[in-house]
């Protein structure tokens, strides 16, 4: 299994990162993808990825939207160019749009569109963060279609919205929210759509599932989501695990 979205480079794991990695290995999670969030985080992110031989993506998250858009995109493009030959560099992102950060919206749009163009130019999939912005994200994807597609991280929307992303070659990232019985749209979407639609992620250390005591999420929790998807789809956990792993390998060319 692979956790396709874990910020294991964040400070929340500094005290016991190796223990967290051992725990994930002990439950059958072989690797993970560390998404990028901003230029100031990349150095540590790449060091952690190198230390543990993890996969990684590079990008600028909308929460860290820079004041100098051109300089940040230049820095991203330069870093991407330098790392393109690394087999563990598998995607552009995490990037996207977040309407909860309305004050930076124009910059978010500019930075997101620049990263879509970058993903096009280097032929990599993209990891997209979308909060209350599906219409705008879909409009951008229509303008900048991506041959390799990507993933809509932490998807929680309706089956109808999901189908729009699937038509554009995207997978839906399923994480801790699936354990919440109040996430009715997501639960229905997972029931409605085939397993080809999904990949697994935790978003560690954020988005801890409702049914675990520790509020710091970690990659080992991924096994809980497999069992939940199996219950919703009336399939075995082994089948779900194998199918979603295959989806991840195909999307990110692992």
């Amino acid at each position: 299994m692979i956790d396709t979205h874990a910020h294991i480079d964040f400070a929340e794991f500094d005290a016991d990162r190796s223990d967290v990695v051992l725990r994930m290995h002990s439950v059958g999670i072989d690797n993970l993808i560390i998404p990028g969030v901003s230029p100031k985080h990349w150095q540590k992110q790449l060091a952690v990825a190198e230390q543990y031989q993890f996969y990684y993506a590079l990008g600028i998250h909308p929460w860290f939207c820079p004041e100098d858009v051109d300089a940040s995109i230049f820095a991203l493009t330069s870093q991407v160019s330098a790392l393109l030959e690394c087999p563990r560099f598998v995607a552009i992102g995490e990037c996207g749009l977040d309407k909860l950060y309305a004050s930076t919206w124009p910059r978010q749009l500019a930075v997101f569109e620049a990263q879509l163009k970058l993903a096009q130019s280097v032929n990599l999939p993209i990891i997209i963060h979308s909060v209350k912005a599906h219409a705008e994200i879909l409009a951008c994807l229509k303008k900048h279609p991506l041959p390799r597609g990507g993933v809509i991280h932490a998807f929680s929307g309706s089956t109808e919205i999901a189908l729009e992303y699937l038509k554009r070659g995207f997978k839906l990232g399923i994480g801790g929210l699936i354990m919440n019985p109040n996430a009715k749209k997501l639960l229905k979407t997972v029931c409605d759509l085939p397993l080809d639609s999904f990949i697994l992620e935790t978003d560690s250390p954020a988005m801890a599932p409702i049914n675990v005591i520790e509020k710091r999420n970690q990659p080992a929790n991924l096994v809980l989501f497999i069992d939940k998807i199996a219950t919703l789809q009336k399939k075995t956990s082994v089948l779900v695990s194998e199918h979603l792993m295959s989806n991840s390998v195909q999307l990110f060319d692992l």
Side-chain angles (χ1 to χ4, degrees):
M1 290 182 290
I2 182 168
D3 182 351
T4 64
H5 197 117
H7 298 282
I8 198 135
D9 55 316
F10 280 13
E12 287 90 334
F13 294 109
D14 284 354
D16 63 344
R17 187 171 288 109
S18 291
D19 291 337
V20 170
V21 172
L22 284 172
R23 204 168 306 137
M24 80 177 225
H25 287 321
S26 74
V27 297
I29 299 159
D30 302 310
N31 212 315
L32 54 78
I33 298 173
I34 311 177
V37 294
S38 80
K40 70 177 183 179
H41 290 81
W42 293 338
Q43 185 176 357
K44 182 181 177 186
Q45 176 200 357
L46 293 171
V48 171
E50 177 65 24
Q51 180 181 356
Y52 296 98
Q53 293 295 287
F54 289 149
Y55 297 108
Y56 60 92
L58 278 178
I60 300 172
H61 191 294
W63 293 2
F64 299 92
C65 206
E67 290 193 13
D68 190 336
V69 171
D70 290 341
S72 294
I73 292 302
F74 178 79
L76 176 60
T77 303
S78 300
Q79 187 74 273
V80 164
S81 297
L83 293 167
L84 264 182
E85 299 305 313
C86 177
R88 288 179 289 104
F89 175 35
V90 297
I92 301 298
E94 177 179 2
C95 59
L97 300 172
D98 192 323
K99 280 193 177 169
L100 298 182
Y101 289 72
S103 64
T104 62
W105 183 258
R107 279 186 277 141
Q108 285 187 47
L109 274 169
V111 172
F112 179 48
E113 289 210 51
Q115 289 178 94
L116 288 172
K117 292 176 186 175
L118 180 59
Q120 276 180 326
S121 70
V122 297
N123 195 33
L124 283 174
I126 199 162
I127 299 170
I128 293 181
H129 170 109
S130 175
V131 175
K132 301 186 182 300
H134 288 311
E136 292 84 357
I137 294 278
L138 285 164
C140 288
L141 292 176
K142 186 175 182 181
K143 198 192 313 186
H144 306 287
L146 300 178
R148 292 280 305 277
V151 55
I152 306 303
H153 160 56
F155 186 78
S156 62
S158 67
T159 302
E160 293 71 26
I161 291 292
L163 287 170
E164 290 299 315
Y165 286 121
L166 296 176
K167 281 194 297 191
R168 289 163 175 80
F170 278 74
K171 304 291 187 191
L172 310 174
I174 305 299
L177 190 61
I178 200 170
M179 309 305 295
N180 188 334
N182 293 322
K184 300 198 183 297
K185 278 195 295 188
L186 174 60
L187 295 171
K188 183 177 186 302
T189 297
V190 172
C191 286
D192 287 347
L193 296 177
L195 285 176
D196 285 346
S197 312
F198 311 117
I199 60 174
L200 290 165
E201 56 177 40
T202 62
D203 200 22
S204 302
M207 295 187 71
I210 198 169
N211 58 329
V212 300
I213 294 170
E214 186 183 352
K215 291 310 161 195
R216 181 191 66 169
N217 201 2
Q218 60 178 299
N221 288 331
L222 203 72
V223 294
L224 303 173
F225 316 154
I226 292 170
D227 291 341
K228 180 66 175 181
I229 293 170
T231 300
L232 290 169
Q233 292 235 343
K234 299 181 173 59
K235 294 180 170 69
T236 67
S237 294
V238 170
L239 186 149
V240 170
S241 174
E242 289 178 349
H243 202 128
L244 271 55
M245 179 63 184
S246 176
N247 293 347
S248 301
V249 169
Q250 181 183 20
L251 176 63
F252 295 110
D253 194 22
L254 304 180

